[in-house]
Coordinates of all heavy atoms in Angstrom, one line a residue:
M1 N 32.8 23.7 -6.6 CA 32.7 24.7 -5.5 C 32.5 23.9 -4.2 O 33.3 24.1 -3.3 CB 31.3 25.4 -5.8 CG 31.5 26.9 -6.2 SD 33.0 27.8 -5.7 CE 32.3 29.3 -5.2
D2 N 31.6 23.0 -4.2 CA 31.3 22.3 -2.9 C 32.3 21.1 -2.8 O 32.1 20.1 -3.6 CB 29.8 21.9 -2.8 CG 29.5 21.4 -1.5 OD1 30.4 21.4 -0.6 OD2 28.4 21.1 -1.2
V3 N 33.1 21.1 -1.9 CA 34.1 20.0 -1.7 C 33.8 19.2 -0.4 O 34.6 18.4 0.0 CB 35.5 20.5 -1.6 CG1 36.0 21.1 -2.9 CG2 35.6 21.6 -0.5
H4 N 32.6 19.4 0.1 CA 32.3 18.8 1.3 C 31.6 17.4 1.2 O 31.1 16.8 2.1 CB 31.4 19.7 2.2 CG 32.1 20.9 2.7 ND1 32.0 22.1 2.0 CD2 33.0 21.1 3.7 CE1 32.8 23.0 2.7 NE2 33.5 22.4 3.6
I5 N 31.4 17.0 -0.1 CA 30.6 15.8 -0.3 C 31.0 14.5 0.5 O 30.2 14.0 1.2 CB 30.6 15.5 -1.8 CG1 30.0 16.7 -2.6 CG2 29.7 14.3 -2.1 CD1 30.4 16.8 -4.0
L6 N 32.3 14.2 0.5 CA 32.8 13.0 1.1 C 33.6 13.3 2.4 O 34.3 12.4 2.8 CB 33.6 12.2 0.1 CG 32.8 11.4 -0.9 CD1 33.7 10.8 -1.9 CD2 32.0 10.3 -0.3
R7 N 33.3 14.5 2.9 CA 34.2 14.8 4.1 C 33.4 14.6 5.3 O 32.1 14.9 5.4 CB 34.5 16.3 4.0 CG 35.8 16.5 3.2 CD 36.2 17.8 3.5 NE 37.4 18.2 2.8 CZ 37.9 19.4 2.7 NH1 37.2 20.4 3.4 NH2 38.9 19.7 2.0
Y8 N 34.1 14.2 6.3 CA 33.5 14.2 7.6 C 33.5 15.5 8.2 O 34.4 16.4 7.8 CB 34.2 13.2 8.6 CG 34.0 11.8 8.1 CD1 35.0 11.1 7.5 CD2 32.7 11.1 8.5 CE1 34.8 9.8 7.0 CE2 32.5 9.8 8.0 CZ 33.6 9.2 7.3 OH 33.4 7.9 6.9
K9 N 32.7 15.9 9.1 CA 32.8 17.2 9.8 C 34.1 17.4 10.6 O 34.5 16.5 11.2 CB 31.6 17.3 10.8 CG 30.4 18.0 10.2 CD 29.4 18.3 11.3 CE 28.1 18.8 10.6 NZ 27.1 18.8 11.7
K10 N 34.6 18.5 10.4 CA 35.9 18.8 11.1 C 35.5 19.0 12.5 O 34.5 19.6 12.9 CB 36.6 20.0 10.4 CG 37.4 19.7 9.2 CD 38.1 20.8 8.7 CE 38.9 20.5 7.5 NZ 39.4 21.8 6.9
K11 N 36.5 18.7 13.4 CA 36.3 19.0 14.8 C 36.3 20.4 15.0 O 37.2 21.1 14.4 CB 37.4 18.3 15.6 CG 37.0 16.9 16.1 CD 38.0 16.4 17.1 CE 39.3 16.0 16.4 NZ 40.3 15.5 17.3
K12 N 35.5 20.9 15.9 CA 35.5 22.3 16.2 C 36.7 22.5 17.3 O 36.7 21.6 18.2 CB 34.2 22.8 16.8 CG 33.2 23.2 15.7 CD 32.1 24.0 16.4 CE 31.3 24.6 15.3 NZ 30.3 25.5 15.9
P13 N 37.4 23.6 17.3 CA 38.3 23.8 18.3 C 37.5 23.9 19.7 O 36.4 24.2 19.7 CB 38.9 25.2 18.0 CG 38.6 25.4 16.6 CD 37.2 24.7 16.3
S14 N 38.4 23.7 20.7 CA 37.7 23.7 22.1 C 37.2 25.1 22.4 O 37.6 26.1 21.8 CB 38.8 23.3 23.1 OG 39.9 24.2 23.0
K15 N 36.3 25.1 23.4 CA 35.7 26.3 23.8 C 36.7 27.2 24.4 O 37.6 26.7 25.1 CB 34.5 26.0 24.8 CG 33.3 25.5 24.1 CD 32.3 25.1 25.2 CE 31.1 24.5 24.5 NZ 30.2 23.9 25.5
H16 N 36.4 28.5 24.4 CA 37.3 29.4 25.1 C 36.9 29.4 26.5 O 35.8 29.4 26.9 CB 37.2 30.9 24.5 CG 37.6 31.0 23.1 ND1 38.9 31.5 22.9 CD2 37.1 30.6 21.9 CE1 39.0 31.5 21.5 NE2 38.0 31.0 21.0
V17 N 38.0 29.4 27.4 CA 37.7 29.4 28.8 C 38.4 30.6 29.4 O 39.3 31.2 28.9 CB 38.2 28.2 29.4 CG1 37.4 27.0 29.0 CG2 39.7 27.9 29.2
C18 N 38.0 31.0 30.6 CA 38.6 32.1 31.3 C 40.0 31.8 31.7 O 40.3 30.7 32.2 CB 37.7 32.4 32.6 SG 38.4 33.5 33.7
A19 N 40.8 32.7 31.4 CA 42.3 32.5 31.7 C 42.5 32.4 33.2 O 43.6 31.8 33.7 CB 43.1 33.6 31.1
E20 N 41.6 32.9 34.0 CA 41.8 32.9 35.5 C 41.2 31.6 36.2 O 41.8 30.9 36.8 CB 41.2 34.2 36.0 CG 41.5 34.5 37.4 CD 42.8 35.1 37.6 OE1 43.5 35.4 36.7 OE2 43.3 35.1 38.9
C21 N 39.9 31.4 35.9 CA 39.2 30.4 36.6 C 38.8 29.2 35.8 O 38.4 28.2 36.3 CB 38.0 30.9 37.3 SG 36.7 31.4 36.1
G22 N 39.0 29.3 34.4 CA 38.8 28.1 33.6 C 37.3 27.9 33.2 O 37.0 26.9 32.6
K23 N 36.5 28.8 33.6 CA 35.1 28.8 33.2 C 34.9 29.0 31.7 O 35.6 29.7 31.2 CB 34.3 29.8 34.0 CG 33.2 29.3 34.9 CD 32.3 30.3 35.4 CE 32.8 31.5 36.1 NZ 31.9 32.4 36.5
V24 N 33.9 28.3 31.1 CA 33.7 28.5 29.7 C 33.2 29.9 29.4 O 32.3 30.4 30.2 CB 32.6 27.4 29.2 CG1 32.3 27.8 27.7 CG2 33.2 26.1 29.3
L25 N 33.8 30.5 28.5 CA 33.4 32.0 28.2 C 32.2 32.0 27.2 O 32.3 31.1 26.3 CB 34.5 32.7 27.6 CG 35.7 33.0 28.5 CD1 36.8 33.6 27.7 CD2 35.4 33.9 29.6
H26 N 31.3 32.9 27.5 CA 30.2 33.0 26.5 C 30.4 34.2 25.7 O 31.2 35.1 26.0 CB 28.9 33.2 27.3 CG 28.6 32.1 28.2 ND1 28.0 30.9 27.7 CD2 28.8 31.8 29.5 CE1 27.9 30.0 28.7 NE2 28.4 30.5 29.9
G27 N 29.8 34.3 24.6 CA 30.0 35.4 23.6 C 31.3 35.3 22.8 O 31.6 36.3 22.2
V28 N 32.0 34.2 22.9 CA 33.1 34.0 22.0 C 32.8 32.9 21.1 O 32.6 31.7 21.6 CB 34.4 33.7 22.9 CG1 35.6 33.5 22.0 CG2 34.6 34.7 24.0
P29 N 32.8 33.1 19.8 CA 32.3 32.0 18.9 C 33.5 30.9 18.8 O 34.7 31.2 18.9 CB 32.2 32.7 17.6 CG 33.0 33.9 17.7 CD 33.2 34.2 19.1
R30 N 33.0 29.7 18.7 CA 33.9 28.6 18.5 C 34.1 28.3 17.0 O 33.1 28.2 16.3 CB 33.3 27.4 19.1 CG 33.9 26.8 20.4 CD 33.1 25.8 20.9 NE 33.7 24.5 20.7 CZ 33.1 23.3 20.7 NH1 31.8 23.3 20.9 NH2 33.7 22.2 20.6
G31 N 35.3 28.2 16.5 CA 35.3 27.9 15.1 C 36.8 27.9 14.6 O 37.7 28.4 15.4
R32 N 37.0 27.4 13.5 CA 38.4 27.5 12.9 C 38.7 29.0 12.6 O 37.8 29.7 12.3 CB 38.5 26.6 11.7 CG 38.0 25.2 12.2 CD 38.4 24.1 11.3 NE 38.5 22.9 12.0 CZ 39.6 22.2 12.2 NH1 40.8 22.7 11.6 NH2 39.7 21.2 12.9
P33 N 40.0 29.2 12.5 CA 40.4 30.6 12.2 C 39.8 31.2 10.9 O 39.4 32.4 11.0 CB 41.9 30.5 12.0 CG 42.3 29.4 12.9 CD 41.2 28.4 12.8
Y34 N 39.6 30.4 9.9 CA 39.0 31.0 8.7 C 37.5 31.3 8.9 O 37.0 32.2 8.3 CB 39.2 30.1 7.5 CG 38.4 28.8 7.5 CD1 37.0 28.9 6.8 CD2 38.7 27.6 8.1 CE1 36.2 27.8 6.8 CE2 37.9 26.5 8.0 CZ 36.7 26.6 7.5 OH 35.9 25.4 7.4
E35 N 36.9 30.5 9.8 CA 35.5 30.8 10.1 C 35.5 32.1 11.0 O 34.6 33.0 10.8 CB 34.9 29.7 10.9 CG 34.7 28.5 10.0 CD 34.3 27.2 10.8 OE1 34.8 27.0 11.9 OE2 33.4 26.5 10.3
I36 N 36.3 32.3 11.9 CA 36.4 33.4 12.8 C 36.6 34.7 12.0 O 36.1 35.7 12.2 CB 37.4 33.2 13.9 CG1 37.1 31.9 14.8 CG2 37.5 34.5 14.8 CD1 35.8 32.1 15.5
G37 N 37.5 34.5 11.1 CA 37.9 35.6 10.2 C 36.8 36.2 9.4 O 36.7 37.4 9.1
K38 N 35.8 35.4 9.2 CA 34.6 35.9 8.4 C 33.6 36.7 9.3 O 32.8 37.4 8.8 CB 33.7 34.7 7.9 CG 34.5 34.1 6.6 CD 33.5 33.1 5.9 CE 33.6 31.7 6.7 NZ 33.0 30.7 6.0
L39 N 33.8 36.5 10.6 CA 32.9 37.3 11.5 C 33.4 38.7 11.7 O 34.6 39.0 11.5 CB 32.9 36.6 12.9 CG 32.3 35.2 12.9 CD1 32.7 34.6 14.2 CD2 30.9 35.2 12.8
S40 N 32.5 39.6 12.0 CA 32.9 41.0 12.3 C 33.6 41.0 13.6 O 33.5 40.1 14.4 CB 31.7 41.9 12.3 OG 30.8 41.6 13.4
K41 N 34.3 42.0 13.8 CA 35.2 42.2 15.0 C 34.3 42.1 16.3 O 34.7 41.3 17.3 CB 35.9 43.5 15.1 CG 37.0 43.5 16.0 CD 37.8 44.8 15.9 CE 39.0 44.8 16.9 NZ 39.6 46.1 17.0
T42 N 33.2 42.7 16.3 CA 32.3 42.7 17.6 C 31.7 41.3 17.7 O 31.3 41.0 18.9 CB 31.2 43.8 17.4 OG1 30.5 43.6 16.3 CG2 31.8 45.1 17.6
A43 N 31.6 40.5 16.7 CA 31.0 39.2 16.9 C 32.0 38.2 17.5 O 31.6 37.1 17.9 CB 30.5 38.7 15.6
K44 N 33.2 38.6 17.6 CA 34.2 37.5 18.0 C 34.3 37.5 19.5 O 34.8 36.4 20.0 CB 35.6 38.0 17.4 CG 35.7 37.6 15.9 CD 37.1 38.1 15.4 CE 36.9 38.4 13.9 NZ 38.2 38.9 13.4
R45 N 34.1 38.5 20.2 CA 34.2 38.4 21.7 C 33.5 39.7 22.2 O 33.2 40.6 21.6 CB 35.7 38.4 22.1 CG 36.4 39.7 22.0 CD 36.9 40.0 20.5 NE 37.6 41.3 20.5 CZ 37.0 42.4 20.4 NH1 35.6 42.5 20.5 NH2 37.7 43.5 20.3
P46 N 33.2 39.5 23.6 CA 32.5 40.6 24.2 C 33.2 41.9 24.1 O 34.5 41.9 24.2 CB 32.4 40.2 25.7 CG 32.5 38.6 25.6 CD 33.3 38.4 24.5
N47 N 32.6 43.0 23.8 CA 33.2 44.2 23.5 C 33.5 45.0 24.8 O 32.9 45.9 25.2 CB 32.4 45.1 22.6 CG 33.2 46.2 22.1 OD1 34.5 46.3 22.3 ND2 32.5 47.2 21.5
R48 N 34.5 44.4 25.6 CA 34.9 45.0 26.8 C 36.3 44.6 27.2 O 36.8 43.6 26.6 CB 34.0 44.7 28.0 CG 33.8 43.2 28.2 CD 32.9 42.9 29.5 NE 32.4 41.6 29.4 CZ 33.1 40.5 29.6 NH1 34.3 40.4 30.0 NH2 32.4 39.3 29.6
P49 N 37.0 45.4 28.1 CA 38.3 44.9 28.4 C 38.4 43.5 28.9 O 37.5 43.1 29.6 CB 38.7 45.8 29.5 CG 37.9 47.1 29.4 CD 36.6 46.6 28.8
Y50 N 39.3 42.7 28.4 CA 39.4 41.3 28.7 C 38.4 40.5 28.2 O 38.2 39.3 28.5 CB 39.5 41.1 30.3 CG 40.6 41.7 30.9 CD1 40.5 42.9 31.7 CD2 42.0 41.3 30.7 CE1 41.5 43.5 32.3 CE2 43.0 41.9 31.3 CZ 42.8 43.0 32.1 OH 43.9 43.7 32.7
G51 N 37.5 41.0 27.2 CA 36.4 40.3 26.6 C 37.1 39.1 25.8 O 38.0 39.3 25.1
G52 N 36.6 37.9 26.0 CA 37.1 36.7 25.4 C 38.4 36.2 26.0 O 39.0 35.3 25.5
Y53 N 38.7 36.8 27.1 CA 39.9 36.3 27.8 C 39.7 35.9 29.2 O 40.1 34.8 29.7 CB 41.0 37.4 27.7 CG 42.3 37.2 28.4 CD1 43.1 36.1 28.0 CD2 42.7 37.9 29.6 CE1 44.2 35.8 28.7 CE2 43.9 37.6 30.2 CZ 44.7 36.6 29.8 OH 45.9 36.3 30.4
L54 N 38.9 36.8 29.9 CA 38.5 36.5 31.3 C 37.0 36.5 31.3 O 36.4 37.2 30.6 CB 39.0 37.5 32.3 CG 40.5 37.7 32.4 CD1 40.9 38.8 33.3 CD2 41.1 36.4 33.0
C55 N 36.5 35.7 32.2 CA 35.0 35.7 32.5 C 34.7 37.1 33.2 O 35.6 37.8 33.7 CB 34.5 34.5 33.3 SG 35.0 34.6 35.0
S56 N 33.4 37.4 33.2 CA 33.0 38.7 33.7 C 33.4 38.8 35.2 O 33.9 40.0 35.6 CB 31.6 38.8 33.6 OG 30.8 37.8 34.1
S57 N 33.3 37.8 36.0 CA 33.6 38.0 37.4 C 35.1 38.1 37.6 O 35.6 39.0 38.5 CB 33.1 36.8 38.2 OG 33.6 35.6 37.7
C58 N 36.0 37.4 36.9 CA 37.4 37.6 37.0 C 37.9 39.0 36.4 O 38.7 39.6 37.0 CB 38.1 36.5 36.2 SG 38.0 34.9 37.0
A59 N 37.3 39.5 35.3 CA 37.6 40.7 34.8 C 37.2 41.8 35.9 O 38.0 42.7 36.1 CB 36.8 41.0 33.5
R60 N 36.1 41.7 36.5 CA 35.7 42.6 37.5 C 36.7 42.6 38.7 O 37.2 43.7 39.2 CB 34.3 42.2 38.1 CG 33.4 43.5 38.4 CD 32.1 43.0 38.7 NE 31.4 42.3 37.6 CZ 30.6 41.3 37.7 NH1 30.3 40.7 38.8 NH2 30.0 40.8 36.6
K61 N 37.2 41.4 39.1 CA 38.2 41.3 40.2 C 39.4 42.1 39.8 O 40.0 42.9 40.5 CB 38.6 39.9 40.3 CG 38.3 39.3 41.7 CD 39.0 37.9 41.9 CE 38.1 36.9 41.1 NZ 38.8 35.6 41.2
I62 N 39.9 41.9 38.5 CA 41.1 42.6 38.0 C 40.9 44.2 38.0 O 41.8 44.9 38.4 CB 41.5 42.0 36.7 CG1 42.1 40.6 36.9 CG2 42.5 42.9 36.0 CD1 42.8 40.0 35.8
F63 N 39.7 44.6 37.6 CA 39.5 46.0 37.5 C 39.6 46.6 39.0 O 40.1 47.6 39.2 CB 38.1 46.3 37.1 CG 37.9 45.9 35.6 CD1 36.6 45.5 35.1 CD2 38.9 46.1 34.7 CE1 36.5 45.2 33.8 CE2 38.8 45.7 33.4 CZ 37.5 45.3 32.9
K64 N 39.0 45.9 39.9 CA 39.1 46.3 41.4 C 40.6 46.4 41.7 O 40.9 47.4 42.4 CB 38.4 45.4 42.2 CG 36.9 45.6 42.2 CD 36.1 44.7 43.1 CE 34.6 44.8 43.0 NZ 33.9 43.8 43.7
N65 N 41.3 45.3 41.5 CA 42.7 45.4 41.9 C 43.5 46.5 41.2 O 44.3 47.1 41.9 CB 43.4 44.0 41.5 CG 42.9 42.9 42.4 OD1 42.4 43.2 43.5 ND2 43.1 41.7 41.9
E66 N 43.2 46.7 40.0 CA 43.9 47.9 39.2 C 43.5 49.2 39.9 O 44.3 50.1 40.0 CB 43.5 47.8 37.8 CG 44.4 46.8 37.0 CD 44.0 46.7 35.6 OE1 43.1 47.4 35.1 OE2 44.7 46.0 34.9
A67 N 42.2 49.3 40.2 CA 41.8 50.6 40.8 C 42.5 50.9 42.2 O 42.7 52.0 42.5 CB 40.3 50.5 40.9
R68 N 42.8 49.8 42.8 CA 43.4 49.9 44.2 C 44.9 50.3 44.1 O 45.4 50.9 45.1 CB 43.3 48.5 44.9 CG 42.5 48.7 46.2 CD 42.2 47.3 46.7 NE 40.8 47.0 46.6 CZ 40.3 45.8 46.5 NH1 41.1 44.8 46.4 NH2 39.0 45.6 46.4
K69 N 45.5 50.0 43.0 CA 47.0 50.3 43.0 C 47.3 51.8 43.0 O 46.6 52.6 42.5 CB 47.5 49.8 41.6 CG 47.9 48.3 41.8 CD 48.3 47.7 40.5 CE 48.2 46.3 40.4 NZ 48.3 45.7 39.0
Ligands
ZN1 ZN1 37.1 33.6 35.5

């Protein structure tokens, strides 16, 4: 069952960053795809539009721009 005896720890994937400003996003778990798959959908990223893609301030900016159109 346990195959981790002689293994080094695998590197974690890099942190998620905001697509707009590059700030590190919070509320998005770091992990390999199989680890992320074990998590519930709401645990994977903030439950709002652009959650896990843009930081809150950039998302707000986009909402304002969209409202203006
Ligand atoms: Zn941002």
Side-chain angles (χ1 to χ4, degrees):
M1 254 329 224
D2 192 356
V3 291
H4 293 98
I5 301 157
L6 281 173
R7 276 199 185 167
Y8 293 101
K9 263 189 191 170
K10 280 183 179 174
K11 267 191 282 178
K12 275 195 168 187
S14 58
K15 284 176 184 171
H16 291 262
V17 291
C18 171
E20 190 76 11
C21 68
K23 243 196 298 183
V24 173
L25 291 174
H26 300 281
V28 185
R30 251 171 108 202
R32 302 193 156 249
Y34 74 91
E35 291 170 318
I36 300 296
K38 282 188 279 188
L39 297 166
S40 68
K41 198 179 179 189
T42 51
K44 287 178 202 172
R45 73 278 179 286
N47 192 14
R48 55 175 156 77
Y50 300 108
Y53 178 63
L54 295 173
C55 72
S56 50
S57 54
C58 288
R60 218 171 293 142
K61 238 189 286 171
I62 285 189
F63 294 148
K64 279 182 188 169
N65 287 340
E66 279 179 356
R68 235 169 253 153
K69 273 174 201 164

